[in-house]
Amino acid sequence: MEDLLTKASARTGTHTGSRLIWLALFGFLVLSIAFVAVPVFLIQPFRPQTQRALEVSYLLRAWSPLATVIILLAVFALASWQWKQIHRWWRKALLLIILFLSIVPAWFARQNHFEWMFNPLHHSSYVKVADAGFVRDSDMVLAVKLNNEAVAYPVRLMAYHHVVQDTVGGTPICATY
Amino acid sequence: MWETTVDGRVLHFHLAGINNQNFIMRDEETGSWWQQVTGEAIFGPLKGKRLKPVFLDELTFGTWKREQPQARVLRPDEQIAASGKYAPADWEERMLRMPVATQISAPGLDKRELVVGINVNGTALAYPVTALQKQNPIIDKVGGTPVIVLMSEDGQSVRAFERKIDGQEREFFLKPSSSPMRLIDDRGTEWDFTGMALNGDLAGKQLPKIAVLKDYWFDWKTYNPNTVVYTLGDR
């Protein structure tokens, strides 16, 4: 009788432990997603931003590459532990799904989704004025002249790339629009 | 347009976000965030640092290439051009219909009205492009400095100068039916759109340039909250 009671309480104990681990797994997953999703939400192009929202976004963006990997490792450790404790196939499947979903924020934290929308020019190239058939006379350009070297950046191209690195007259610059 | 050397190190910038419709850049080297319109680092290890501005003209290609026939022009990326991602020819008109999301209060002008913004001796001034189209050049005085704001005959290229040469203030008038456009000052000297004297004793002299930002009113007002707006008939 006593033996049975001990067994029962031990089982309840494991049960509670197992629940806590599930809870921790879900909590970590939500936290990891929040790390990358909150800045995306706060910095939407056609929404106003407050200074506080920008600061939070900066901190999350700055820390998310490390934080999401630490969370991923924690999820992996917990899931490995849990794997040995459970036997039903659908619970194991759920573990794998949580583990997989935790990889997504760790990957996203290493992406610049603004550059998905506006691809950067990694290697800007140039033509002589006479060969610039792609610009019309009425198109606006950003024009710069340093140490007698003159360069024009057509606004229609700049409105897409937004940032172009260059060296003009020996001075490293970035044209922005 | 900014110089990218900060404390002896060349930074490389990427588009990293948006702050009330003005974009944020992130530098690869330190991860700091920079506001594009002010060139100031707003977060990160370089917070508070400022990029050195590069003097910039916003001109039509036609006007610019007449001044710089030997220069070079940024070429479109072929893949991006082929996928049709570059702005269409009429994108400026389209932008006028885009929503304005900032919560700033900018009375006086329509939020999407284009203004010519200048900063002289710490005073910010906005000249509505429509005012300049009606009265060209605009002769003004900002914080004691005599200025001229000038639109070329293409109706889009704008430049501003100090109206002072060798310490003497000058008045300017548009030379009637001149193409390319010419100015005449109150002593008969002719000047071109680059601010250079073409004849007389001053031939080859250059009026001091003032940086101009052609901007939407709401954006100019956001970053220059104390700006004055020029209204026609001020002087």
Side-chain angles (χ1 to χ4, degrees):
Chain A
M1 189 69 189
E2 209 168 76
D3 194 40
L4 266 178
L5 274 175
T6 324
K7 270 188 183 169
S9 83
R11 187 170 294 167
T12 324
T14 347
H15 202 69
T16 320
S18 167
R19 270 194 185 170
L20 277 176
I21 289 176
W22 281 115
L23 208 61
L25 281 168
F26 279 110
F28 278 141
L29 178 59
V30 169
L31 184 65
S32 186
I33 291 172
F35 253 98
V36 294
V38 168
V40 172
F41 175 76
L42 290 176
I43 313 188
Q44 288 174 66
F46 287 102
R47 275 171 50 104
Q49 282 82 29
T50 63
Q51 198 62 18
R52 185 86 192 113
L54 286 172
E55 194 168 0
V56 168
S57 301
Y58 168 76
L59 288 171
L60 290 175
R61 288 292 293 176
W63 287 101
S64 61
L66 183 63
T68 51
V69 165
I70 290 174
I71 294 171
L72 179 59
L73 291 175
V75 166
F76 183 75
L78 284 177
S80 307
W81 169 265
Q82 191 78 324
W83 187 268
K84 290 178 229 150
Q85 315 300 319
I86 57 177
H87 304 289
R88 293 180 204 270
W89 69 268
W90 60 268
R91 288 196 170 161
K92 293 200 167 182
L94 187 59
L95 272 186
L96 287 177
I97 289 170
I98 292 173
L99 188 61
F100 175 75
L101 287 179
S102 306
I103 296 172
V104 176
W107 165 79
F108 190 85
R110 285 159 176 76
Q111 302 295 314
N112 181 348
H113 67 287
F114 288 97
E115 291 192 343
W116 295 351
M117 288 185 273
F118 302 102
N119 305 136
L121 264 184
H122 292 295
H123 304 284
S124 53
S125 64
Y126 299 84
V127 294
K128 289 254 176 213
V129 168
D131 303 325
F134 49 86
V135 205
R136 297 171 310 171
D137 280 3
S138 59
D139 287 344
M140 295 300 286
V141 297
L142 307 181
V144 64
K145 191 176 184 182
L146 293 170
N147 292 333
N148 268 324
E149 187 181 13
V151 189
Y153 308 90
V155 164
R156 275 168 64 195
L157 307 189
M158 294 304 298
Y160 178 75
H161 295 298
H162 288 296
V163 184
V164 172
Q165 307 271 155
D166 197 0
T167 299
V168 181
T171 305
I173 65 156
C174 82
T176 59
Y177 189 83
Chain B
M1 192 96 58
W2 306 100
E3 287 192 18
T4 49
T5 309
V6 175
D7 297 338
R9 173 163 58 170
V10 177
L11 303 179
H12 294 83
F13 292 96
H14 292 267
L15 187 65
I18 200 141
N19 174 12
N20 293 304
Q21 293 181 287
N22 189 271
F23 75 83
I24 296 167
M25 310 188 284
R26 177 181 181 277
D27 71 71
E28 277 176 26
E29 285 71 16
T30 74
S32 303
W33 280 13
W34 303 76
Q35 190 68 57
Q36 179 256 344
V37 73
T38 59
E40 187 182 350
I42 51 175
F43 300 113
L46 298 181
K47 182 174 176 175
K49 296 266 180 195
R50 279 179 177 274
L51 299 174
K52 198 175 157 208
V54 174
F55 190 89
L56 161 81
D57 273 322
E58 256 186 90
L59 309 171
T60 61
F61 184 60
T63 294
W64 178 77
K65 78 178 177 189
R66 200 165 54 220
E67 295 174 6
Q68 305 290 345
Q70 301 302 323
R72 61 181 165 100
V73 184
L74 179 68
R75 178 162 57 186
D77 181 280
E78 277 171 24
Q79 279 187 349
I80 292 164
S83 63
K85 284 182 183 166
Y86 284 125
D90 66 341
W91 74 279
E92 285 192 36
E93 291 91 74
R94 290 186 191 200
M95 278 305 283
L96 295 178
R97 297 194 293 269
M98 295 294 244
V100 173
T102 56
Q103 286 163 332
I104 65 141
S105 141
L109 300 173
D110 187 84
K111 282 187 177 177
R112 282 270 178 205
E113 183 155 356
L114 274 176
V115 298
V116 175
I118 64 171
N119 269 294
V120 180
N121 302 332
T123 304
L125 242 132
Y127 300 87
V129 168
T130 48
L132 196 52
Q133 282 161 346
K134 285 183 197 139
Q135 181 184 308
N136 184 32
I138 288 177
I139 303 296
D140 202 3
K141 213 165 215 179
V142 185
T145 303
V147 302
I148 176 173
V149 183
L150 180 63
M151 178 178 271
S152 89
E153 69 271 17
D154 62 31
Q156 294 191 76
S157 309
V158 179
R159 279 188 170 127
F161 304 98
E162 285 184 31
R163 288 185 290 116
K164 222 175 195 179
I165 200 86
D166 297 337
Q168 286 185 318
E169 189 175 327
R170 304 247 168 173
E171 292 285 324
F172 288 87
F173 310 91
L174 201 62
K175 187 180 175 187
S177 59
S178 54
S179 182
M181 71 131 50
R182 297 279 181 262
L183 295 168
I184 303 187
D185 71 17
D186 45 358
R187 290 167 216 192
T189 305
E190 283 195 25
W191 302 78
D192 68 11
F193 183 62
T194 67
M196 190 152 69
L198 300 173
N199 58 3
D201 298 344
L202 295 178
K205 285 253 183 189
Q206 171 73 49
L207 292 174
K209 295 175 185 177
I210 296 172
V212 159
L213 183 67
K214 232 171 136 185
D215 199 1
Y216 297 114
W217 167 237
F218 76 87
D219 199 47
W220 179 258
K221 174 75 178 169
T222 303
Y223 294 98
N224 298 276
N226 298 318
T227 185
V228 178
V229 182
Y230 177 87
T231 43
L232 280 176
D234 268 6
R235 38 170 284 148

